[in-house]
Amino acid sequence: AKLFGCTSEAFRDTTICSICAHLGPACLSLIVCEMSCECVNVSPDVHTEAVQAALAKHKERKMAVPMPSKRRSLVVQTSMDAYTPPEEDGGGGGGTSSSREGSISMEHWIGRAIHGTSSTTTTTSSTASSSSSSTRSGGSGAAAGRLADVLAQHVHISAHRHHHHHHHNKTGVPVSSRVSAKIQQLVNTLKRPKRPPLREFFVDDFEELLEVQQPDPNQPKAEGAQMVVMRGEQLGVVTNWPPSLEAALQRWGTISPKAPCLTTMDTNGKPLYVLTYGKLWSRSVKVAYNLLHKLGTKQEPLVRPGDRVALVFPNNDPAAFMTAFYGCLLAEVVPVPIEVPLTRKDAGSQQIGFLLGSCGVTVALTSDACHKGLPKSPTGEIPQFKGWPKVLWFVTESKHLSKPPRDWFPHIKDANQDNAYIEYKTCKDGSVLGVTVMRIAMLTHCQAITQSCSYTEAETIVNVLDFKKDVGLWHAVLTSVMNMMHVISIPYALMKVNPLSWIQKVCQYKAKVACVKSRDMHWALVAHRDQRDINLSSLRMLVVADGSNPWSISSCDAFLNVFQTKGLRPEVICPCASSPEALTVAIRRPLEEGTTPPGRGILSMQGLSHGVIRVDSEEKLSVLTLQDVGSVMPGGMMCVVKPEGVPQLCKTDEIGELCVCTVATGSSYYGLAGMTKNTFEVFPVSNSGVPVSEFPFTRTGLLGFIGPAGLIFVAGKMDGLMVVGGRRHNADDIVATALAVEPMKFVYRGRIAVFSITVLHDERIVVVAEQRPDSTEEDSFQWMSRVLQAIDSIHQVGVYCLALVPSNTLPKTPLGGIHLSETKQLFLEGALHPCNVLMCPHTCVTNLPKPRQKQPEIGPASVMVGNLVSGKRIAQASGRDLGQIEDNDQARKVCVRGGQLFLFLSEVLQWRAQTTPDHILYTLLNSRGTIASSLTCVQLHKRAEKIAAMLGERGHLQDGDHVALVYPPGIDLIVAFYGCLYAGCVPITVRPPHPQNIATTLPTVKMIVEVSRSVCVMTTQLISKLLRSKEACTAVDFRTWPPVMDTDDLPKKKPPLLYKPSNSDTLAYLDFSVSTTGMLAGVKMSHTATSAFCRSIKLQCELYPSREVAICLDPYCGLGFVLWCLCSVYSGHQSILIPPSELEVNPALWLSAVSQYKVRDTFCSYSVMELCTKGLGLQTDSLKSRGLDLSRVRTCVVVAEERPRIALTQSFSKLFKDLGLHPRAVSTSFGCRVNLAICLQGTSGPDPTTVYVDMRALRHDRVRLVERGSPHSLPLMESGKILPGVRIIIANPETKGPMGESHLGEIWVHSGHNASGYFTVYGDEALQSDHFNSRLSFGDTQTVWARTGYLGFLRRTELTDASGERHDALYVVGALEEAMELRGMRYHPIDIETSVIRTHKSITECAVFTWTNLLVVVVELDGSEQEALDLVPLVTNVVLEEHYLIVGVVVVVDIGVIPINSRGEKQRMHLRDGFLADQLDPIYVAYNM
């Protein structure tokens, strides 16, 4: 116990759990420990030692791994009372967790780190030498919360060896933030070079550089001679062997009717029932008669000879099963034994149903008790199970059956080629196949078993195995009857209560043979407490059914070790290898006393992974010890063929799939001719390609080799094979290694699933284990990181994902094992609900494309020449020319004064007030869709005059002063704006604070007021009161505001004189907006630009006084403000104003208004469109019945500053198509800070086009058009038509040279309505000149351009515009600031986010950003917090598969955490700041290794 560092209580379990591992030859050191009163020798498990040594090595590397962060509510401790141990397939539930003191559960580095914090000034040298005892100084509960900081400091120490103190933080990480410390730690972890540098690459058509694994020249290769086919001994047919099993049953049933055939046990271990051969015979005859004559009608019997019927019997009723099975054989009906379906949705039940359906099963035989226990519907009917055909349930108890007539006898033939029974087999992918076994094969198999095991008449055999299939069926139901043996059947339920029951029965009945699995031996060891009365000397053969499993050897050795003193002889243990297809492949014969013990193979794990047998290995840690399973079965031949491709014979030192040739195998997969041919009709060939035999071989599905003296060794199963990076690993071996790490403490033995999933063209290993309810987060995380290290050391393979799930939650097979394919399915669907996840994509994924090497920039001149030479256009385009378009509006003729066009909106308004005073310009709707207020030309003019008077009188404002307008969307805002123009002041529209969220929204208002240098604030009485309220004053002190004027009661008088600006280049207004990157930026709009802007929109949308336009936008900035406040005054059309906030009350408001007012043009934002799509999705029929009609809409424009959201616009179009909306009507616009509207789909001109580009080329800034639906294609929609008077060119953001059409570049714009510069307090001149006054470095170097900061490209389409020219379309790809440089390539967040949102139904929103070269993915979870951890692997997988990127951190948050601005755009930088400052309160944060 001291050696293992635990209490002797715990030791009982810990040493014995070494049974999980591969035992090597070094079993010399004996540990003698006191167990109750007797000394027992237990050899320490070499594998466990190997694992401990491997972990010790890792410890020296001093590597810290950041622990995931979890919200409190997720860390629920299950109380121990409420807990029941799971039904484990391979281990005892009881393992007292060893006390923390002195146990090496705590990783050394944690100990050291905590030690370091307790005495801060410790120098590194002493820290390094501090022993694991420092764990105690930290206490076992060593503050999980502090852990992260501690770890961060620890990483910090290793990074700066020469510093003496922990205080210095030179990594540039804000120390206060736990999150950033963890990320820094993750970065440090990843800095270690993990794998050798990448080798050669192959280039495929996509110039894609996925690394292909080149074979290592030093890897071991097979060098032996070609193997020869091994033959078993002759099958010596004994004279009294029966011609068929039915004949045997008839013989024993008539000559020895009293001989016991089967004794069944109850759960107390008392004999429940003895079935004699006489009873078995008479009852089977009865079942046969009833099957053939009592189902259906005389003319139309339901079951005919050769039909298949299902046998559904529980594991505690072998007698009923045997009767039914032999009844079927006598009736010449083919039984299909299956498990009892407990619920309608059992793991794998659907596939079983598929098997029954494909076998044409219509009748299911079952016992009375089982029939009563099946789930029933309220009417008492047994419901149809999921995926099952309709079956008739037939109870086989004698009392329910009719007696056969005296003259009726079953027809007993010699064994022939007819099918005897079908055994089901579950494949790796979860599908269920039926293996058919012919009558002659069944009989020959029984004869071969009898000869191998030297069975004799009336021997007693104890069976613990499932008697419905495999070894249990062959020995305890078939061969036993052939030899008139007596079977003692131990049900699984009894084993759970008393694991020693089978040993007690061997003693009680002096049984000669016992059939067990290694888990039964393990359980007996765990439960064994020196029972005095045990004597196993009667056993001549202990058949270990899973003896071919690599880790059964340790169970066999440990069992022998303990029970040798109880009369168990070493030669009695007989491991056996079997498979559903080949039946018994091999079984070790019971040896005569005194002969040499069987062989052991100690193989190098490294060699095995290359499929080669290497006996000794320099690396003593990673070896696999195998025991032989005897020689070839009597009457059979065996060879070993390559697992993939042509079945070519292996060399003698090569691992391959075992194939057998004998009568005694399955003959087909029922109904699957192709698969049958590949498995049951294999003709192995030699090197020269010559078949080795004229007879077909059957593949066993077992991997192994034939060793010296013809002994067969099995190293794994084909189903458990995982090929990672060209090397083969066996799932069972990995399970063994995981179990050797502190086995009994954190997880359950036998409750570990290992499988592989394919991600990015290679298999990746996933380990899922059930965690004990009493283990802490820290413990589990430690265990997980140690398992990763152990597997890495011993198998030299990385684990992609390690997940722990709560106890009892993995899907079970009927006998309590793990249902592997179902577990894998749940994992891939994100329905496993783990409580801990550790992903290691950084260490596993070594075949990523080569990072892009940035070429030295080619000069702009060369690019231009290159484009000209290759015949590519330089990417430039323009809207119609403003000068040439005749503006035939009345306003033009009137507004011309001395040949000068009106440039001032204030003058246009005065002119409209005189000429059309009663023409309505604005109508505001409330949430009920009724008119809240409206405004005619003259009303607007008069109210604006009053405001101007008030500004002069009360505010004493000079012309040119800045005024902040804080109004809700509505008429007051418009009036105040024109009032400012009349008074010569510069208005700034500001969104009012949200009354429910003052603390966060009010500071933004204050900031805009300050930055814009506003001298006063105009607002409504309501908002003015709000600013003075107590709550508001805690956020912003009211005394710090400039004077606040409310405009609800205006003075009666007019201003003496309306202001007219002297210069048209003076400021008209300031436009403030928060960009997607979270920057508050104000731009200056001059009178000229404002006027040009309105004119451009008027021409593009053909606006004039008789038109009506519906606007559902926020009126505070950009195009939204211009449409809401300015355009109606300029063009004279009526604007129907719909505040977007009203849609939250009534989502149908906007569309109803459009329909009611017969509007032809409408403008909205993405948030409005999303609200309609989500809120009205199910109401289209009721809206239609209310007469909602959208057929008159010719343009519905989404106002945006981002890449068009094509999925949203398409789903909106599809959804409202039924209401008459023309899909071509929906389009988007594009504007930005330097120019508020560059593109806008007008009324004339071609429809917006969509192109598909190759996403991978886009990462290299190249535009490659592909067909719709081709892999990696990304749909991009044109952002509307370029406005009149606007010119666009695509420029290289670095060299400022013009780009060709096939490249992605920055969109530069030249137009009369460009903003004239940023308005900031800081006066950042360089930025100003760069953004607003840029010139090309080559070509046309005279024109002054404004840089939009957005990447995009131009394409000349096949369409023609109004002037007959070919139409140029602009496609916006994304903001330059938000694009992420990763692996030398440019990624746009939206593309990764789209992939992530698609991956699981519970992800409602996603945002990504980078931090220190790590990709951080934040997802909003719409579901229970238990689903949070499911998302981590799915997110990691999809980003790897579709974007070739490794996610560094996955953050799962609540709905609504990702900040969205008023235009519905994500504010990723705000989110990033919040994450790093630890303000998100995430549900879970996973740091991928």
Side-chain angles (χ1 to χ4, degrees), residues 587-605:
I587 185 164
R588 196 193 288 170
R589 317 287 173 89
L591 295 164
E592 283 64 55
E593 286 201 42
T595 47
T596 49
R600 290 267 157 115
I602 297 160
L603 310 182
S604 141
M605 205 74 102

PDB file of all heavy atoms in Angstrom, residues 587-605:
ATOM      1  N   ILE A 587      -9.413 -22.206 -29.222  1.00  0.00           N
ATOM      2  CA  ILE A 587      -9.579 -22.324 -27.770  1.00  0.00           C
ATOM      3  C   ILE A 587      -8.391 -23.099 -27.245  1.00  0.00           C
ATOM      4  O   ILE A 587      -7.956 -24.069 -27.861  1.00  0.00           O
ATOM      5  CB  ILE A 587     -10.933 -23.009 -27.426  1.00  0.00           C
ATOM      6  CG1 ILE A 587     -11.154 -23.019 -25.926  1.00  0.00           C
ATOM      7  CG2 ILE A 587     -11.003 -24.415 -27.985  1.00  0.00           C
ATOM      8  CD1 ILE A 587     -12.604 -23.321 -25.556  1.00  0.00           C
ATOM      9  N   ARG A 588      -7.826 -22.631 -26.120  1.00  0.00           N
ATOM     10  CA  ARG A 588      -6.663 -23.330 -25.572  1.00  0.00           C
ATOM     11  C   ARG A 588      -7.127 -24.622 -24.904  1.00  0.00           C
ATOM     12  O   ARG A 588      -8.097 -24.612 -24.146  1.00  0.00           O
ATOM     13  CB  ARG A 588      -5.969 -22.432 -24.557  1.00  0.00           C
ATOM     14  CG  ARG A 588      -4.568 -22.908 -24.225  1.00  0.00           C
ATOM     15  CD  ARG A 588      -4.008 -22.208 -23.003  1.00  0.00           C
ATOM     16  NE  ARG A 588      -3.672 -20.806 -23.258  1.00  0.00           N
ATOM     17  CZ  ARG A 588      -3.347 -19.966 -22.266  1.00  0.00           C
ATOM     18  NH1 ARG A 588      -3.326 -20.379 -21.019  1.00  0.00           N
ATOM     19  NH2 ARG A 588      -3.046 -18.717 -22.541  1.00  0.00           N
ATOM     20  N   ARG A 589      -6.433 -25.751 -25.233  1.00  0.00           N
ATOM     21  CA  ARG A 589      -6.857 -27.047 -24.675  1.00  0.00           C
ATOM     22  C   ARG A 589      -6.410 -27.152 -23.231  1.00  0.00           C
ATOM     23  O   ARG A 589      -5.346 -26.655 -22.883  1.00  0.00           O
ATOM     24  CB  ARG A 589      -6.221 -28.217 -25.441  1.00  0.00           C
ATOM     25  CG  ARG A 589      -6.212 -28.055 -26.937  1.00  0.00           C
ATOM     26  CD  ARG A 589      -7.622 -28.240 -27.492  1.00  0.00           C
ATOM     27  NE  ARG A 589      -7.659 -27.926 -28.912  1.00  0.00           N
ATOM     28  CZ  ARG A 589      -7.419 -28.829 -29.860  1.00  0.00           C
ATOM     29  NH1 ARG A 589      -7.098 -30.053 -29.553  1.00  0.00           N
ATOM     30  NH2 ARG A 589      -7.504 -28.473 -31.131  1.00  0.00           N
ATOM     31  N   PRO A 590      -7.178 -27.858 -22.404  1.00  0.00           N
ATOM     32  CA  PRO A 590      -6.699 -28.123 -21.053  1.00  0.00           C
ATOM     33  C   PRO A 590      -5.479 -29.043 -21.161  1.00  0.00           C
ATOM     34  O   PRO A 590      -5.536 -30.067 -21.842  1.00  0.00           O
ATOM     35  CB  PRO A 590      -7.870 -28.836 -20.379  1.00  0.00           C
ATOM     36  CG  PRO A 590      -8.870 -29.122 -21.428  1.00  0.00           C
ATOM     37  CD  PRO A 590      -8.474 -28.453 -22.689  1.00  0.00           C
ATOM     38  N   LEU A 591      -4.357 -28.650 -20.547  1.00  0.00           N
ATOM     39  CA  LEU A 591      -3.113 -29.404 -20.710  1.00  0.00           C
ATOM     40  C   LEU A 591      -3.062 -30.575 -19.744  1.00  0.00           C
ATOM     41  O   LEU A 591      -3.683 -30.560 -18.688  1.00  0.00           O
ATOM     42  CB  LEU A 591      -1.920 -28.488 -20.421  1.00  0.00           C
ATOM     43  CG  LEU A 591      -1.740 -27.322 -21.388  1.00  0.00           C
ATOM     44  CD1 LEU A 591      -0.809 -26.299 -20.777  1.00  0.00           C
ATOM     45  CD2 LEU A 591      -1.172 -27.817 -22.699  1.00  0.00           C
ATOM     46  N   GLU A 592      -2.268 -31.573 -20.110  1.00  0.00           N
ATOM     47  CA  GLU A 592      -1.996 -32.644 -19.150  1.00  0.00           C
ATOM     48  C   GLU A 592      -1.061 -32.038 -18.101  1.00  0.00           C
ATOM     49  O   GLU A 592      -0.262 -31.156 -18.394  1.00  0.00           O
ATOM     50  CB  GLU A 592      -1.294 -33.837 -19.830  1.00  0.00           C
ATOM     51  CG  GLU A 592      -2.234 -34.720 -20.645  1.00  0.00           C
ATOM     52  CD  GLU A 592      -2.864 -33.988 -21.834  1.00  0.00           C
ATOM     53  OE1 GLU A 592      -2.113 -33.451 -22.649  1.00  0.00           O
ATOM     54  OE2 GLU A 592      -4.122 -33.936 -21.908  1.00  0.00           O
ATOM     55  N   GLU A 593      -1.183 -32.532 -16.877  1.00  0.00           N
ATOM     56  CA  GLU A 593      -0.327 -31.990 -15.815  1.00  0.00           C
ATOM     57  C   GLU A 593       1.133 -32.186 -16.164  1.00  0.00           C
ATOM     58  O   GLU A 593       1.513 -33.179 -16.777  1.00  0.00           O
ATOM     59  CB  GLU A 593      -0.653 -32.690 -14.488  1.00  0.00           C
ATOM     60  CG  GLU A 593      -1.987 -32.199 -13.941  1.00  0.00           C
ATOM     61  CD  GLU A 593      -2.113 -32.447 -12.439  1.00  0.00           C
ATOM     62  OE1 GLU A 593      -1.112 -32.222 -11.724  1.00  0.00           O
ATOM     63  OE2 GLU A 593      -3.177 -32.873 -12.001  1.00  0.00           O
ATOM     64  N   GLY A 594       1.934 -31.201 -15.751  1.00  0.00           N
ATOM     65  CA  GLY A 594       3.377 -31.352 -15.914  1.00  0.00           C
ATOM     66  C   GLY A 594       3.911 -30.860 -17.246  1.00  0.00           C
ATOM     67  O   GLY A 594       5.113 -30.748 -17.419  1.00  0.00           O
ATOM     68  N   THR A 595       3.021 -30.586 -18.221  1.00  0.00           N
ATOM     69  CA  THR A 595       3.545 -30.068 -19.500  1.00  0.00           C
ATOM     70  C   THR A 595       3.859 -28.589 -19.347  1.00  0.00           C
ATOM     71  O   THR A 595       3.399 -27.932 -18.416  1.00  0.00           O
ATOM     72  CB  THR A 595       2.520 -30.266 -20.632  1.00  0.00           C
ATOM     73  OG1 THR A 595       1.263 -29.824 -20.138  1.00  0.00           O
ATOM     74  CG2 THR A 595       2.435 -31.701 -21.064  1.00  0.00           C
ATOM     75  N   THR A 596       4.619 -28.047 -20.316  1.00  0.00           N
ATOM     76  CA  THR A 596       5.063 -26.650 -20.199  1.00  0.00           C
ATOM     77  C   THR A 596       3.863 -25.701 -20.306  1.00  0.00           C
ATOM     78  O   THR A 596       2.936 -25.955 -21.079  1.00  0.00           O
ATOM     79  CB  THR A 596       6.037 -26.294 -21.345  1.00  0.00           C
ATOM     80  OG1 THR A 596       5.420 -26.722 -22.556  1.00  0.00           O
ATOM     81  CG2 THR A 596       7.358 -26.972 -21.152  1.00  0.00           C
ATOM     82  N   PRO A 597       3.894 -24.625 -19.530  1.00  0.00           N
ATOM     83  CA  PRO A 597       2.768 -23.673 -19.608  1.00  0.00           C
ATOM     84  C   PRO A 597       2.781 -22.951 -20.949  1.00  0.00           C
ATOM     85  O   PRO A 597       3.801 -22.930 -21.633  1.00  0.00           O
ATOM     86  CB  PRO A 597       3.050 -22.695 -18.461  1.00  0.00           C
ATOM     87  CG  PRO A 597       4.515 -22.817 -18.186  1.00  0.00           C
ATOM     88  CD  PRO A 597       4.898 -24.219 -18.556  1.00  0.00           C
ATOM     89  N   PRO A 598       1.637 -22.389 -21.313  1.00  0.00           N
ATOM     90  CA  PRO A 598       1.501 -21.761 -22.635  1.00  0.00           C
ATOM     91  C   PRO A 598       2.386 -20.533 -22.799  1.00  0.00           C
ATOM     92  O   PRO A 598       2.954 -20.024 -21.841  1.00  0.00           O
ATOM     93  CB  PRO A 598       0.035 -21.361 -22.680  1.00  0.00           C
ATOM     94  CG  PRO A 598      -0.385 -21.285 -21.262  1.00  0.00           C
ATOM     95  CD  PRO A 598       0.406 -22.323 -20.540  1.00  0.00           C
ATOM     96  N   GLY A 599       2.463 -20.063 -24.054  1.00  0.00           N
ATOM     97  CA  GLY A 599       3.369 -18.968 -24.382  1.00  0.00           C
ATOM     98  C   GLY A 599       2.797 -17.604 -24.071  1.00  0.00           C
ATOM     99  O   GLY A 599       1.593 -17.428 -23.930  1.00  0.00           O
ATOM    100  N   ARG A 600       3.712 -16.633 -23.987  1.00  0.00           N
ATOM    101  CA  ARG A 600       3.335 -15.228 -23.814  1.00  0.00           C
ATOM    102  C   ARG A 600       3.992 -14.443 -24.934  1.00  0.00           C
ATOM    103  O   ARG A 600       5.118 -14.752 -25.299  1.00  0.00           O
ATOM    104  CB  ARG A 600       3.920 -14.673 -22.502  1.00  0.00           C
ATOM    105  CG  ARG A 600       3.278 -15.227 -21.264  1.00  0.00           C
ATOM    106  CD  ARG A 600       2.160 -14.287 -20.876  1.00  0.00           C
ATOM    107  NE  ARG A 600       1.177 -14.977 -20.076  1.00  0.00           N
ATOM    108  CZ  ARG A 600       0.920 -14.684 -18.814  1.00  0.00           C
ATOM    109  NH1 ARG A 600       1.613 -13.761 -18.204  1.00  0.00           N
ATOM    110  NH2 ARG A 600      -0.030 -15.305 -18.179  1.00  0.00           N
ATOM    111  N   GLY A 601       3.312 -13.430 -25.429  1.00  0.00           N
ATOM    112  CA  GLY A 601       3.957 -12.557 -26.408  1.00  0.00           C
ATOM    113  C   GLY A 601       4.081 -11.178 -25.797  1.00  0.00           C
ATOM    114  O   GLY A 601       3.082 -10.598 -25.383  1.00  0.00           O
ATOM    115  N   ILE A 602       5.317 -10.666 -25.712  1.00  0.00           N
ATOM    116  CA  ILE A 602       5.490  -9.313 -25.183  1.00  0.00           C
ATOM    117  C   ILE A 602       5.911  -8.441 -26.357  1.00  0.00           C
ATOM    118  O   ILE A 602       7.023  -8.525 -26.843  1.00  0.00           O
ATOM    119  CB  ILE A 602       6.536  -9.306 -24.055  1.00  0.00           C
ATOM    120  CG1 ILE A 602       6.017 -10.177 -22.913  1.00  0.00           C
ATOM    121  CG2 ILE A 602       6.777  -7.883 -23.566  1.00  0.00           C
ATOM    122  CD1 ILE A 602       7.080 -10.639 -22.004  1.00  0.00           C
ATOM    123  N   LEU A 603       4.943  -7.645 -26.841  1.00  0.00           N
ATOM    124  CA  LEU A 603       5.153  -6.968 -28.131  1.00  0.00           C
ATOM    125  C   LEU A 603       5.291  -5.466 -27.944  1.00  0.00           C
ATOM    126  O   LEU A 603       4.648  -4.877 -27.086  1.00  0.00           O
ATOM    127  CB  LEU A 603       3.957  -7.243 -29.048  1.00  0.00           C
ATOM    128  CG  LEU A 603       3.551  -8.705 -29.162  1.00  0.00           C
ATOM    129  CD1 LEU A 603       2.400  -8.841 -30.115  1.00  0.00           C
ATOM    130  CD2 LEU A 603       4.718  -9.541 -29.645  1.00  0.00           C
ATOM    131  N   SER A 604       6.094  -4.883 -28.809  1.00  0.00           N
ATOM    132  CA  SER A 604       6.259  -3.430 -28.768  1.00  0.00           C
ATOM    133  C   SER A 604       5.003  -2.763 -29.330  1.00  0.00           C
ATOM    134  O   SER A 604       4.562  -3.070 -30.428  1.00  0.00           O
ATOM    135  CB  SER A 604       7.479  -3.047 -29.598  1.00  0.00           C
ATOM    136  OG  SER A 604       7.229  -1.875 -30.305  1.00  0.00           O
ATOM    137  N   MET A 605       4.473  -1.838 -28.541  1.00  0.00           N
ATOM    138  CA  MET A 605       3.262  -1.117 -28.957  1.00  0.00           C
ATOM    139  C   MET A 605       3.541  -0.320 -30.230  1.00  0.00           C
ATOM    140  O   MET A 605       2.695  -0.188 -31.098  1.00  0.00           O
ATOM    141  CB  MET A 605       2.896  -0.171 -27.817  1.00  0.00           C
ATOM    142  CG  MET A 605       1.470   0.198 -27.746  1.00  0.00           C
ATOM    143  SD  MET A 605       0.433  -1.101 -27.136  1.00  0.00           S
ATOM    144  CE  MET A 605       0.161  -0.617 -25.479  1.00  0.00           C
TER     145      MET A 605
END
